[in-house]
Amino acid sequence: MSSPAPAPAPAAVVPKNIRGILLGVLMAMLLSMLDGLIVGTAMPTVVADIGGLDHISWVVTAYTLTTACSTPVWGKLGDLFNRKLMFLGSIVVFIVGSALSGQASSMGELIGFRALQGIGAGGMMAGAFAFIGVLLPPREPGRYQGMVAIVQAVGSIAGPLMGGFITAYLGWRWAFYVNIPIGLIAIVWCWLLLRVPPARRGKVVIDWLGITLMTAMISALVMAATWAGSTYAWGSWQILGLGAAVVVLLIAFIAAEQRAAEPLLPPRIFTRRRNFPIAAVLLTVAAWPCSAARSTCRSSNRPSRASRLRTLACCCCR
């Protein structure tokens, strides 16, 4: 007599107010997207007020660097502890960085506070996509991709417009202060509506070695991309040394992740699923035209201050 077939696993239930929940989550995603575009529009006024034109690219680079380094860390901490608390904590960090950036009195302070903003932005982006995966069954996310597309379109279009309006009528400091009320609304919204079970499981082991190696690798890569062709020649020992450091750190990072008990980036996601490696290759290939376009903004000669201010928007795309 054959044994009965096992009962199918119960299907995940989509919350009735899923659109309202996603709206609060995507509000935080929109906040991190708008910030870069608003600040980029306001940068000429910032330079005219506090100076520091020679270091202007680091206002964007610091934000991008810390966002890239912190995104997988926030995601892993959410898996180990509580996704909701990590997400709300990242919004708080972003708000604090925004408030401090609005109070900056020098370019060095602004760069440091923008780095703090980037740390929060990494958690906001990681949390938003994690919640979409947790709250929706595998076959459902496609039905709600329209909300994500609308958020991205609004951020791309409204960011420069808001930046120009805020800078012209309120002052450049409000390009950062505007994040505070939106962030507070997102916190209250998600605190009241978002219901996610805690993700902690057994003994927690944090991959400190992987975090350190990944941060160092991304930092070297970003610095090489920022300095090459502008501060240093492509064939200079500084750029070649940073390139060699990226390769060495990447090899060390892969080796560390293979041995870690709780790896920051489990190697299996690159081998067991074909979509991820293909997406990574396509993203890399698509980034080359953008990098080439940005490199045309650089010049081997040092232009006048007025000319550099006119091309500031192009340089801020680094």
Side-chain angles (χ1 to χ4, degrees), residues 22 28 42 61 122 153 183 196 235 237 241 282:
L22 290 181
T61 301
V196 180
W237 67 267
L282 291 177

Side-chain angles (χ1 to χ4, degrees), residues 41-248:
T41 307
M43 286 314 298
T45 306
V46 174
V47 172
D49 187 15
I50 64 176
L53 181 61
D54 293 336
H55 304 288
I56 191 64
S57 63
W58 280 100
V59 176
V60 179
T61 301
Y63 182 87
T64 305
L65 175 61
T66 53
T67 300
C69 293
S70 63
T71 296
V73 177
W74 282 108
K76 191 62 179 181
L77 292 178
D79 292 339
L80 295 176
F81 298 103
N82 189 297
R83 293 186 180 94
K84 180 177 178 179
L85 293 181
M86 292 295 113
F87 182 64
L88 296 179
S90 66
I91 301 177
V92 172
V93 173
F94 186 84
I95 291 176
V96 172
S98 300
L100 293 175
S101 297
Q103 292 290 324
S105 58
S106 66
M107 187 58 66
E109 292 182 359
L110 181 59
I111 293 172
F113 297 146
R114 285 283 288 167
L116 180 61
Q117 264 190 305
I119 295 175
M124 291 157 61
M125 296 296 292
F129 286 107
F131 287 134
I132 293 175
V134 170
L135 296 174
L136 300 175
R139 295 186 179 183
E140 290 292 330
R143 299 178 56 185
Y144 300 91
Q145 287 299 323
M147 297 180 66
V148 179
I150 291 174
V151 168
Q152 294 175 344
V154 170
S156 301
I157 297 173
L161 296 177
M162 290 181 60
F165 178 84
I166 291 173
T167 304
Y169 294 98
L170 300 177
W172 67 267
R173 297 185 186 276
W174 278 96
F176 300 101
Y177 293 152
V178 72
N179 297 327
I180 299 176
I182 301 177
L184 292 176
I185 293 174
I187 289 176
V188 175
W189 193 301
C190 294
W191 180 265
L192 296 177
L193 296 181
L194 191 59
R195 296 290 182 270
V196 180
R200 183 164 183 167
R201 47 171 197 248
K203 184 180 179 180
V204 175
V205 179
I206 299 178
D207 184 15
W208 294 111
L209 178 58
I211 294 174
T212 302
L213 291 173
M214 185 203 66
T215 302
M217 179 186 63
I218 296 178
S219 300
L221 180 62
V222 172
M223 286 189 294
T226 302
W227 288 338
S230 57
T231 305
Y232 303 106
W234 282 94
S236 64
W237 67 267
Q238 292 91 344
I239 302 302
L240 295 178
L242 287 172
V246 170
V247 175
V248 173

